[in-house]
């Protein structure tokens, strides 16, 4: 009787002989490699059947591939050449069924043909960046420097030496500030100014949008009978690199450029930093590639990724006859609502938020009627948006102290540029309030005195 080990050895020998016979005229490459070679070669053609069949036959050998059937399958899926999506075409070819024999398994790569990716359709007025060479030129870098800043090898995440990291980290009570170092920040700023600024945001977004801000956000809800405010938990960290990649692809950038742009604007927090995370949920978000809170590109990218969220919440507000707007992670609905409809609104809004990949903060959903203080982004909105009276009185006291005893004595919080800090606070509290503006500016003039240069003046 033949034993089981003997049968296994015999089977192994037969398999080895078959491999030898099959590979005697060439090396059988894995399906993914053959699919990659075919995808690159097909994209060099005019996307006409005869040209495509000829390329398939010239690139792939070994076990026969029915080139015409393969080309028919490709043309059915891609009537036009996916010149900006070579990786997608590779995945399609690798997944072709084994029957009929269009499979790329066990084929031999005779030689390779390739062509750079191209921008097929660019939306808005963003610069055309067809491949990594264009991207490097756009940033004024060479290929190695672009690869370094994109951190494809995850040196930033793994390095113990701070000099090898692209970000500096600082924990606040409920969030992590991940601030890019100057060179990466400059690249991100260029990306923001030249690319992201060309892409429109939803008209109900007021945070980090030129011409809009806390006051325009608050003004939409001023004097409403009911104000419902909600908060998005870990807003920036919730946005994954996959969503950012989809955004850049949606703008029109080919796969390689979109991948590199994604890598330049997202990060994974090092394990050493995560040890100080205040809760496991935030640590889990920061462990995966995400938008860093502290990068100049993150607010704009977050707004664009939340476009569908804003569109759905606007539609929900319209169904209830309400006004909706968002400032960063603050959501607000205002109008006339009964208690039952308030509960229904919060339930539906929370469901939409979760479906769009975000989470609401359960302890920060608030409902305020006109008989209570209604506040948004630090402004009271029961009537015209205004800074709370106690904050106004506190600033007046600080200005009076500075005018009486000097700036150094009044600077109890140790601001490095106290004059600029005071001028900013005065400008903030003076918006849309002429009487407050006159009083505060008079006090500011006295506090700064003639010898102190006015911030913003030369």
């Amino acid at each position: 009787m033949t034993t089981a080990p003997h049968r296994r050895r015999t089977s192994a020998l037969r398999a080895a002989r078959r491999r030898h016979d099959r590979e005697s005229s060439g090396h059988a490459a894995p399906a993914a490699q053959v699919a990659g070679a075919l995808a690159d070669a097909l994209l060099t053609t005019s996307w006409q059947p005869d040209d495509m069949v000829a390329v398939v036959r010239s690139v792939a050998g070994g076990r026969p591939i029915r080139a015409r059937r393969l080309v028919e399958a490709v043309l059915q899926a891609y009537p036009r050449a996916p010149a900006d999506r070579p990786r997608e075409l590779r995945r399609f070819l690798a997944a072709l069924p084994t029957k009929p024999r269009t499979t790329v398994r066990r084929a031999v790569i005779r030689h390779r043909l390739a062509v750079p990716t191209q921008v097929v359709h660019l939306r808005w007025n963003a610069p055309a960046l067809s491949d990594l060479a264009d991207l490097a030129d756009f940033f004024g870098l060479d290929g190695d420097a672009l690869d370094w800043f994109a951190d494809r090898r995850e040196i930033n995440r793994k390095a113990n030496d701070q000099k090898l990291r692209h970000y500096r980290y600082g924990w606040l009570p409920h969030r992590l500030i991940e601030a890019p170092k100057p060179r990466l920040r400059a690249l991100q700023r260029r990306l923001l100014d030249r690319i992201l600024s060309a892409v429109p945001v939803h008209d109900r977004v007021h945070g980090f949008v030129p011409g809009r801000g806390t006051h325009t956000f608050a003004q939409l809800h001023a004097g409403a009978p009911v104000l419902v405010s909600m908060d998005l938990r870990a807003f920036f960290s919730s946005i994954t690199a996959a969503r950012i990649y989809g955004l850049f692809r949606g703008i029109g950038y080919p796969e390689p450029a979109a991948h590199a742009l994604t890598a330049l604007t997202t990060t994974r927090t090092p394990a050493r930093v995560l040890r100080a995370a205040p809760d496991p949920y935030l640590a889990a978000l920061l462990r995966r590639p995400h938008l860093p809170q502290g990068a100049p590109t993150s607010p704009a990218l977050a707004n664009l990724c939340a476009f569908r969220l804003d569109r759905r919440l606007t539609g929900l507000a319209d169904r209830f006859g309400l006004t909706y707007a968002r400032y960063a992670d603050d959501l607000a609905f205002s109008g006339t609502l009964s208690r039952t409809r308030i509960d229904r609104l919060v339930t539906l809004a929370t469901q939409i938020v979760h479906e769009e990949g975000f989470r609401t903060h359960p302890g920060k959903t608030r409902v305020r009627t006109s008989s209570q203080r209604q506040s948004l982004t630090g402004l009271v909105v029961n009537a015209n948006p205004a800074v709370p009276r106690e904050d106004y009185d506190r600033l007046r006291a600080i200005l009076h102290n500075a005018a009486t005893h000097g700036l150094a004595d009044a600077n109890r919080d140790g601001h490095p540029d106290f004059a600029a800090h005071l001028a900013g606070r005065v400008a903030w509290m003076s918006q849309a309030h002429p009487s407050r503006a006159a009083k505060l500016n008079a006090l500011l003039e006295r506090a700064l005195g003639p010898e102190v240069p006015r911030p913003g003046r030369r």
Side-chain angles (χ1 to χ4, degrees), residues 353-366:
V353 167
H354 286 202
E355 289 173 354
E356 293 302 321
F358 299 97
R359 292 292 182 269
T360 55
H361 200 295
K364 294 187 177 181
T365 296
R366 294 183 173 85

Side-chain angles (χ1 to χ4, degrees), residues 41-287:
L42 286 170
L43 291 173
T44 66
T45 70
S46 60
W47 214 248
Q48 297 299 315
D50 291 342
D51 292 344
M52 296 168 73
V53 169
V55 160
V56 171
R57 288 172 176 166
S58 69
V59 168
R63 185 169 181 171
I65 293 178
R66 293 191 176 180
R68 192 161 294 279
R69 287 189 178 180
L70 184 145
V71 168
E72 288 173 356
V74 170
L75 287 174
Q76 185 175 5
Y78 297 97
R80 289 177 293 191
D84 59 338
R85 293 167 285 162
R87 295 187 185 187
E88 181 183 311
L89 181 58
R90 292 170 200 168
R91 290 193 296 269
F92 173 81
L93 291 171
L96 284 174
T98 58
K99 295 180 180 180
R101 286 169 56 192
T102 56
T103 179
V104 298
R105 292 176 176 84
R106 300 179 180 178
V108 172
I109 302 173
R110 288 178 176 148
H111 62 276
R112 291 182 179 271
L113 300 172
V115 66
T117 54
Q118 302 173 23
V119 171
V120 174
H121 175 66
L122 192 66
R123 303 180 68 185
W124 304 293
N125 192 29
L129 304 171
S130 292
D131 53 26
L132 294 181
D134 285 351
L135 192 62
D137 290 342
F138 173 78
F139 287 116
L141 302 171
D142 59 29
D144 290 339
L146 178 63
D147 189 59
W148 164 253
F149 285 112
D151 196 28
R152 293 176 57 189
R153 299 174 184 174
E154 289 201 326
I155 294 175
N156 179 77
R157 177 174 171 78
K158 299 174 183 176
N160 292 324
D161 188 349
Q162 176 62 37
K163 294 179 181 178
L164 296 176
R165 293 181 178 174
H166 294 313
Y167 290 85
R168 294 187 175 94
Y169 303 92
W171 281 103
L172 296 179
H174 301 291
R175 63 184 184 273
L176 175 65
I177 301 301
E178 299 176 289
K181 292 181 180 179
R183 291 187 66 191
L184 178 59
R185 176 176 288 272
L187 300 180
Q188 292 173 341
R189 177 64 63 180
R190 180 171 178 80
L191 195 158
L192 172 66
D193 294 340
R194 295 286 305 279
I195 296 177
L196 299 181
S197 62
V199 186
V201 300
H202 198 279
D203 59 6
R204 299 298 177 92
V205 178
H206 289 259
F208 315 110
V209 179
R212 307 177 203 171
T214 54
H215 281 78
T216 59
F217 173 62
Q219 185 63 54
L220 287 174
H221 305 285
V226 176
L227 174 66
V228 179
S229 59
M230 305 175 71
D231 183 80
L232 297 178
R233 186 179 182 187
F235 180 47
F236 291 104
S237 307
S238 298
I239 299 175
T240 63
R243 296 180 71 167
I244 301 301
Y245 171 75
L247 173 64
F248 284 121
R249 288 287 294 120
I251 293 173
Y253 289 117
E255 289 171 338
H259 276 292
L261 290 169
T262 300
L264 289 169
T265 53
T266 60
T267 187
R268 294 179 66 190
T269 308
R272 284 174 171 265
V273 179
L274 290 176
R275 292 172 188 167
D279 64 80
Y281 175 74
L282 180 58
L285 295 179
L286 295 172
R287 192 172 288 114

